[in-house]
Amino acid sequence: MLTNEKSQGNKIQLPYQGLTSEEVKLNRQKYGANVLTPPEREPLWKLFLEKLEDPVIRILMIAAAIAISVGIFEGEYAEGLGIVAAILLATTLAFFNEYKASKEFDILNQVYDEVFIKVIRDSSFTTVKRKDLVFGDVVYVEQGEEIPTDGQILEEISLEIDQSKITGEAEPVKKLTQADAENQGIEEGTYPAYKIYRSTIVEQGQGYFEVTAVGDNTEIGKLATAIASIENTKDTPLNHQLEKLSKLIGVVGLGFAGFTFVSLLVRGFVTKELSLSSQQWYVVGLSIISVLIVLSRVWLPVIYDGLELAGSKLVTPKWLENNSLPSWLKTVGIGLVFFTIGLALGYPLGLIPGSINNWVPGSVAKALLHYFMVAVTIIVVAMPEGLAMSVTLSLAYSMKKMAASNNLVRRMHACETIGSATVICSDKTGTLTQNQMRVYEVNFPSLNSQLLPALKDVKGLIAEAIAVNSTADLEKKPLQAPRPIGNATEGALLLWLNSQDSDYISYRGNFQIKSRMPFCGQKKYMGTIGISSVTGEDVLYVKGAPEVILERCSQILTQQGLESLKNKAAIASAIKEYQRRGMRALGFAYHESQHSSETNLDEIAHDMTWLGFVAILDPLRKEVPDAIQACLNAGIQVKVVTGDNSETAKEIARQIGLWQEEDDLNSGYLHLTGQQFDQLSDEEASQAVLQLKVLSRARPLDKLRLVKLLQENGEVVGVTGDGTNDAAALKQAQVGLAMGSGTAIAKEASDIILLDDSFRSIVNAVVWGRSLYQNIQRFILFQLTINVVALGIALVGPFIGVALPLTVTQMLWVNLIMDTFAALALATEPPHRSVMQHSPRNPEAFIVSKAMAQNIFTVGLAFLLFLVGFLRYIRRDGEITPYELSVFFGVFVMLQFWNLFNARCLGLKQSAFKGLSKNKGFVAIAITIFVGQILIIQFGGSVFRTVPLSLVDWISVIIVTSTVLWIGELWRFIMRLKLKSHLRESY
């Protein structure tokens, strides 16, 4: 029987008062902030020395040592010192850029400190950032949330915590207050039942706890475990492609270097430049083999790479993978021992000249050093050491910019993968709509009842039904409208109660809960049982999908009292009408009887009394229709997956432009309910998912099955989700997109967090993902073009009478341009919206496309032919002067300088100058290369083997080499004209 034992005017306070503002300040000073101290980093000097462990740098160090040693005898140190300077410059820049990139990633690790937590302070509910929690705070947590600090339970309802992050145990642990734990005789183990710990997850239920430790004083802080660290070292398909490309380039470079060195030896022998006796050839051969042993850590891994690319299953020996200084010294020692043994054996056999001065003539030693320098130059140019840095910088830049556009990237691979997404399975609430739920209409037949005194508090019954089945709260501040905290739908219901002058806190606080069944995606409803403050008896309140609850009801509460529920069809029709208009409907019912805390709520949720339903409107986001159209134009399918009713789901799909009028006539598999989808065989479902546009009343397993079937069909799937139940689908998808307002479990399972919950942010992520991939391709195009030219020049030069067209020092400057500067310039190219005019790329496709390969070899060979012709021209008199070599060096670099602008336009038909002002980094680096080249030639002297050029020389070099850019501009202009002509013909 309904009774009215509570006066509406008697309001109670919150269950806890919380800290005052003054206490918060004092506790923060005394106990510290709730921030984990990051793990201690290696000193910067150690990080810098790690750059010297690069095999290419090691070989340059050996080259520098040899050059300086020879210089001691010849009195010329410039070449050796130039190599040392170039090594320091290259390693310093590499160190700086990698340090900068790592700092960018560190920003991501701070995101968890910015998450808002619900607390009670100054006797009022409010939210504060996780990092602002202090000792003594009273915190409220519920299902799906991450525990922000260590604490002790004050109050709980069916609270179970996943402690796997600190214990490794998968089973959730039941949590109780200390008094309940002691009354039930629960033994206090390592982690007491009445305490909870930072970074664990609420698996079920909700509760209040008092903070007992923050920051480094928490259990996880003591363990120094970075639970929330970003996975920035994960291998990705792109990384594997780049690794394969690097190995291929390395094998080609070593092959060129070896072939060139042998060819020069043969040439020297034929031309009598290497005129040696048999004894001297023995010393030369012994020296070459010894040097090969010393350098085995450079060339032998490349040999294994070549065998791997050829399909061999040989594995690189572990000793080769250890590049520490002691390992290198050991290898050098083995080379010296081999040389010593060769000498020891050679002397008795008469294979070595008697005098050390006759071992190798000075001219021959100089020629051999030149040959070695040529080979070193080729290896230096070929090794793509800047490739990894380019990717790192591109990712760091993209992740930073994506965060600014409301896409917080948690895992690096998501940056590249989202760009190749072919299907996006989107949630409705918050993603397509504004997630600003407001009650549009209420339909409680008994609401305005004027019944007998025993039934007069029907309004209180409805208020209690809403209050006890919600975990949301309202934040109330003076002179401000109440603000919902927590679930948006539940917040809308509380706002409605507030407008009716009903204090939800009183109803919730006075209801003595015995048991609760959290919302379940399978059952589509939740329930709470306890002693009602309205009726004074045990009552089960149920809230959820109205059509599901309606079927479980046999009575209805009307203005005339309890009646038999005979008009289910009329009620269902009214509900559907609201759903057709895109609204969410929630049904409410109750059941009176005697229950214990052990009762299975699902079993007794039958023959209930229907209270009524509410229609909640969540307006569509204004930008969503355009964003959906952008995806469709880009070849990306969009599928709406929602737990809402079919009519609501289709109406939203219609509003966003996904559902067309003709789809109503012949829907086929275009729309399915979760139940219909579940009944399809795997073969039928595999075909259905390709046509599907809307999946309504979807359960978590339906969403997971949808993702798996799409992936089996070769699709790259992105999935949005905000609840604990979405975690499986988020993990299964290639890119999981969690809502910023979602649960901790959903965020943890995701790859990207949509900070504003908007679908437009997904489109922005796709644009960045595609642009990122293009930026990496631009760098590769630029680098490989220089590779082709530099390798060709280094190989051909000695055979046309120019032993070193470019010195090792000059080539290191070229390498600096090719690797570091180009990586910085092209990695920061802003995204172009034109990427959304193309279909998604094949994630398995090789990163060097056919068009890129054609460009590399066409432009590279054109440059090579021009430069070889130029070399032959300046050597037409049989000699080549330092002035002419300086001009050649200037021409070589300026060709690459202008080609950098062409590389910027890869995949575009626009002018190289369009949007240049938006990429200030590119402009700054272009100026640096231009000015740097002039300074090196004008003031490089013997270090760079240059002499100053006149103003006329520079103007000539700039004008002649700039034709590279103008030819590119002309080509792109012709392409634009062809495109316009094609568009006119199509109209």
Side-chain angles (χ1 to χ4, degrees):
M1 176 184 292
L2 294 174
T3 61
N4 184 26
E5 294 185 3
K6 172 187 142 314
S7 169
Q8 188 63 38
N10 294 335
K11 298 183 180 180
I12 66 169
Q13 298 296 314
L14 291 173
Y16 306 97
Q17 303 304 307
L19 298 176
T20 64
S21 299
E22 188 61 31
E23 287 172 331
V24 169
K25 291 179 183 178
L26 291 173
N27 284 4
R28 183 172 288 117
Q29 292 174 357
K30 185 175 181 180
Y31 298 101
N34 188 37
V35 177
L36 292 177
T37 303
E40 187 177 348
R41 294 183 177 276
E42 284 191 340
L44 294 182
W45 63 269
K46 270 193 175 181
L47 295 176
F48 180 80
L49 289 180
E50 286 178 3
K51 301 296 113 196
L52 299 177
E53 293 180 4
D54 187 287
V56 175
I57 296 297
R58 288 278 170 80
I59 196 172
L60 288 175
M61 291 167 67
I62 293 171
I66 294 174
I68 291 173
S69 300
V70 173
I72 291 174
F73 293 103
E74 296 186 353
E76 180 60 57
Y77 304 96
E79 182 79 4
L81 293 177
I83 295 174
V84 171
I87 289 171
L88 290 174
L89 183 61
T91 51
T92 301
L93 278 169
F95 160 75
F96 172 76
N97 284 317
E98 287 188 19
Y99 175 75
K100 182 182 176 184
S102 68
K103 294 295 285 183
E104 296 282 0
F105 290 127
D106 287 345
I107 294 171
L108 299 176
N109 287 331
Q110 299 169 11
V111 62
Y112 290 95
D113 293 333
E114 304 296 321
V115 173
F116 282 93
I117 306 297
K118 191 157 54 175
V119 300
I120 298 176
R121 283 185 181 175
D122 293 314
S123 302
S124 176
F125 270 116
T126 187
T127 57
V128 299
K129 292 180 179 178
R130 178 195 297 256
K131 65 181 181 183
D132 293 331
L133 289 173
V134 298
F135 181 92
D137 259 327
V138 175
V139 180
Y140 176 80
V141 290
E142 59 184 328
Q143 183 181 20
E145 293 184 348
E146 184 174 321
I147 304 299
T149 66
D150 287 2
Q152 182 163 329
I153 301 294
L154 297 175
E155 179 182 325
E156 57 79 27
I157 299 172
S158 305
L159 185 63
E160 293 187 4
I161 303 291
D162 175 3
Q163 295 187 160
S164 58
K165 285 185 177 178
I166 59 173
T167 66
E169 297 173 2
E171 287 296 318
V173 178
K174 171 69 177 171
K175 292 294 180 178
L176 305 165
T177 63
Q178 185 172 5
D180 288 344
E182 290 172 354
N183 290 337
Q184 295 180 27
I186 297 176
E187 293 184 8
E188 184 172 321
T190 308
Y191 298 106
Y194 54 87
K195 287 192 175 183
I196 54 178
Y197 301 93
R198 178 182 172 125
S199 297
T200 57
I201 303 290
V202 180
E203 188 79 15
Q204 179 178 310
Q206 67 268 350
Y208 292 93
F209 73 89
E210 181 179 356
V211 175
T212 58
V214 294
D216 292 337
N217 292 320
T218 62
E219 189 71 18
I220 214 74
K222 293 174 184 176
L223 294 170
T225 306
I227 295 300
S229 64
I230 303 302
E231 296 177 20
N232 54 16
T233 57
K234 184 175 180 178
D235 282 340
T236 71
L238 176 62
N239 286 344
H240 290 307
Q241 286 190 31
L242 293 176
E243 185 181 356
K244 183 179 178 182
L245 177 63
S246 298
K247 288 179 179 179
L248 180 62
I249 294 171
V251 170
V252 171
L254 183 67
F256 261 85
F259 176 76
T260 302
F261 186 77
V262 173
S263 299
L264 289 172
L265 283 176
V266 173
R267 174 182 173 275
F269 181 75
V270 172
T271 59
K272 304 299 183 181
E273 184 181 12
L274 300 180
S275 181
L276 300 171
S277 65
S278 58
Q279 290 179 318
Q280 290 172 330
W281 273 115
Y282 175 83
V283 174
V284 168
L286 184 63
S287 300
I288 291 173
I289 294 172
S290 298
V291 170
L292 285 174
I293 292 173
V294 170
L295 299 179
S296 61
R297 289 185 174 276
V298 175
W299 60 266
L300 199 52
V302 181
I303 297 294
Y304 277 98
D305 288 342
L307 293 172
E308 181 186 335
L309 291 172
S312 172
K313 294 183 179 179
L314 284 175
V315 180
T316 306
K318 288 186 178 180
W319 67 270
L320 269 181
E321 296 176 357
N322 184 1
N323 269 319
S324 63
L325 184 59
S327 299
W328 267 85
L329 292 176
K330 183 179 179 181
T331 307
V332 171
I334 293 172
L336 291 175
V337 168
F338 179 85
F339 184 75
T340 304
I341 292 173
L343 290 177
L345 293 175
Y347 266 116
L349 298 174
L351 299 176
I352 297 175
S355 172
I356 191 171
N357 294 327
N358 294 327
W359 279 9
V360 181
S363 60
V364 172
K366 194 170 183 179
L368 288 172
L369 180 61
H370 276 302
Y371 298 166
F372 178 74
M373 287 301 188
V374 171
V376 168
T377 301
I378 290 174
I379 292 175
V380 169
V381 172
M383 290 294 182
E385 60 269 24
L387 198 54
M389 187 179 68
S390 170
V391 176
T392 303
L393 288 171
S394 295
L395 287 168
Y397 175 76
S398 296
M399 291 170 82
K400 183 178 179 181
K401 293 298 183 181
M402 286 172 74
S405 62
N406 295 308
N407 289 282
L408 183 70
V409 181
R410 294 188 66 250
R411 296 182 173 91
M412 275 181 63
H413 73 88
C415 279
E416 58 182 86
T417 311
I418 189 66
S420 58
T422 59
V423 178
I424 295 173
C425 299
S426 176
D427 207 356
K428 178 185 77 69
T429 304
T431 311
L432 304 177
T433 60
Q434 295 178 20
N435 201 23
Q436 294 181 354
M437 301 283 195
R438 295 295 182 269
V439 173
Y440 179 82
E441 188 70 63
V442 294
N443 189 312
F444 293 109
S446 60
L447 187 59
N448 298 315
S449 175
Q450 301 295 328
L451 303 179
L452 297 173
L455 295 175
K456 69 180 183 181
D457 200 8
V458 171
K459 186 177 179 180
L461 189 74
I462 294 171
E464 189 174 66
I466 292 173
V468 303
N469 265 329
S470 104
T471 56
D473 280 291
L474 297 180
E475 181 179 25
K476 298 180 180 180
K477 294 184 178 180
L479 304 178
Q480 293 184 21
R483 182 177 72 90
I485 302 174
N487 183 276
T489 305
E490 294 180 352
L493 295 171
L494 298 186
L495 284 172
W496 177 76
L497 282 182
N498 189 70
S499 70
Q500 302 297 308
D501 294 324
S502 293
D503 184 5
Y504 77 92
I505 294 177
S506 296
Y507 288 108
R508 188 186 289 172
N510 289 330
F511 187 85
Q512 299 176 37
I513 297 177
K514 291 186 175 181
S515 183
R516 171 170 283 171
M517 180 175 66
F519 179 82
C520 173
Q522 303 293 330
K523 298 182 177 68
K524 295 294 179 188
Y525 68 87
M526 67 175 295
T528 303
I529 190 169
I531 301 175
S532 169
S533 62
V534 177
T535 68
E537 299 176 357
D538 281 1
V539 176
L540 167 66
Y541 288 113
V542 174
K543 178 193 76 174
E547 65 271 26
V548 175
I549 295 176
L550 190 61
E551 288 301 314
R552 289 173 171 258
C553 293
S554 59
Q555 297 183 96
I556 182 171
L557 185 61
T558 69
Q559 291 190 5
Q560 287 71 43
L562 292 175
E563 296 181 1
S564 177
L565 183 57
K566 298 178 181 178
N567 58 337
K568 285 187 179 181
I571 296 173
S573 177
I575 292 169
K576 279 195 174 183
E577 184 56 37
Y578 286 111
Q579 291 171 336
R580 284 193 189 97
R581 293 158 62 186
M583 298 183 202
R584 169 175 287 185
L586 282 176
F588 295 86
Y590 74 98
H591 189 284
E592 285 186 304
S593 64
Q594 295 295 320
H595 308 306
S596 69
S597 59
E598 303 300 321
T599 304
N600 186 322
L601 301 190
D602 188 47
E603 292 179 0
I604 62 172
H606 293 280
D607 295 323
M608 296 187 293
T609 300
W610 175 258
L611 276 174
F613 70 90
V614 298
I616 299 175
L617 179 65
D618 185 10
L620 193 71
R621 289 180 181 267
K622 293 180 180 179
E623 72 276 6
V624 166
D626 290 339
I628 294 290
Q629 193 57 50
C631 281
L632 298 177
N633 292 342
I636 303 172
Q637 300 176 57
V638 179
K639 302 182 188 297
V640 177
V641 185
T642 176
D644 275 334
N645 180 275
S646 300
E647 299 300 329
T648 303
K650 284 198 290 186
E651 177 58 27
I652 291 295
R654 184 178 288 108
Q655 291 178 24
I656 63 177
L658 188 63
W659 191 270
Q660 308 301 326
E661 287 185 14
E662 56 268 24
D663 293 339
D664 286 319
L665 302 174
N666 184 24
S667 63
Y669 287 132
L670 296 178
H671 166 252
L672 291 172
T673 64
Q675 188 175 9
Q676 291 169 337
F677 184 56
D678 183 56
Q679 290 172 352
L680 294 177
S681 66
D682 284 344
E683 187 176 345
E684 290 175 316
S686 184
Q687 295 300 313
V689 295
L690 300 178
Q691 301 177 35
L692 187 71
K693 287 186 178 181
V694 178
L695 183 62
S696 61
R697 286 299 182 212
R699 295 161 296 185
L701 292 179
D702 298 327
K703 199 170 188 178
L704 179 61
R705 187 187 185 203
L706 172 63
V707 174
K708 287 182 176 179
L709 289 171
L710 285 169
Q711 290 172 330
E712 288 173 8
N713 277 289
E715 305 288 355
V716 178
V717 186
V719 169
T720 71
D722 61 355
T724 303
N725 291 335
D726 295 320
L730 288 169
K731 278 191 174 182
Q732 178 65 34
Q734 280 95 335
V735 182
L737 301 144
M739 303 297 105
S741 60
T743 65
I745 292 177
K747 290 176 184 177
E748 187 174 307
S750 71
D751 304 296
I752 297 175
I753 298 175
L754 305 179
L755 298 178
D756 62 352
D757 293 4
S758 174
F759 192 89
R760 181 172 60 181
S761 295
I762 300 175
V763 177
N764 290 337
V766 173
V767 172
W768 274 104
R770 292 187 177 188
S771 298
L772 160 69
Y773 192 79
Q774 277 196 350
N775 285 350
I776 295 171
Q777 285 185 312
R778 290 183 180 110
F779 171 74
I780 291 172
L781 172 71
F782 178 74
Q783 186 184 52
L784 294 188
T785 302
I786 296 185
N787 264 349
V788 169
V789 181
L791 288 176
I793 286 294
L795 178 62
V796 175
F799 295 97
I800 59 173
V802 185
L804 284 173
L806 296 172
T807 66
V808 174
T809 316
Q810 290 174 344
M811 201 57 82
L812 283 170
W813 166 244
V814 172
N815 209 43
L816 197 63
I817 296 171
M818 180 174 70
D819 285 339
T820 306
F821 287 150
L824 285 168
L826 297 174
T828 55
E829 181 67 20
H832 297 271
R833 285 281 165 180
S834 59
V835 296
M836 295 299 282
Q837 297 170 5
H838 309 289
S839 297
R841 65 179 176 84
N842 181 354
E844 299 300 320
F846 190 44
I847 195 166
V848 179
S849 65
K850 184 179 179 181
M852 286 174 63
Q854 290 175 344
N855 187 304
I856 290 164
F857 288 108
T858 302
V859 175
L861 290 175
F863 283 3
L864 182 59
L865 290 173
F866 171 77
L867 290 169
V868 170
F870 184 59
L871 272 177
R872 291 183 65 85
Y873 172 76
I874 60 180
R875 198 182 176 281
R876 62 190 181 281
D877 57 357
E879 291 184 6
I880 189 162
T881 65
Y883 164 77
E884 291 168 332
L885 285 173
S886 297
V887 173
F888 176 80
F889 180 39
V891 168
F892 182 93
V893 171
M894 294 310 294
L895 282 174
Q896 315 312 326
F897 171 78
W898 296 117
N899 196 44
L900 183 65
F901 288 82
N902 287 332
R904 180 175 177 263
C905 296
L906 174 67
L908 305 170
K909 296 180 177 65
Q910 68 183 33
S911 168
F913 299 102
K914 184 176 180 181
L916 200 58
S917 60
K918 295 179 181 178
N919 191 350
K920 294 178 182 178
F922 183 94
V923 174
I925 290 165
I927 293 172
T928 301
I929 294 173
F930 187 85
V931 174
Q933 181 61 23
I934 293 174
L935 293 176
I936 283 175
I937 289 182
Q938 297 301 109
F939 305 104
S942 57
V943 173
F944 280 92
R945 198 189 64 184
T946 60
V947 295
L949 302 181
S950 67
L951 180 61
V952 174
D953 290 332
W954 276 116
I955 292 173
S956 300
V957 168
I958 292 169
I959 291 174
V960 171
T961 55
S962 67
T963 55
V964 172
L965 175 59
W966 305 128
I967 291 172
E969 285 291 281
L970 179 62
W971 174 259
R972 287 186 288 275
F973 177 71
I974 294 171
M975 290 297 100
R976 290 198 297 274
L977 289 179
K978 284 185 176 181
L979 180 62
K980 288 180 181 178
S981 175
H982 176 72
L983 290 174
R984 279 196 298 268
E985 290 175 3
S986 63
Y987 285 118

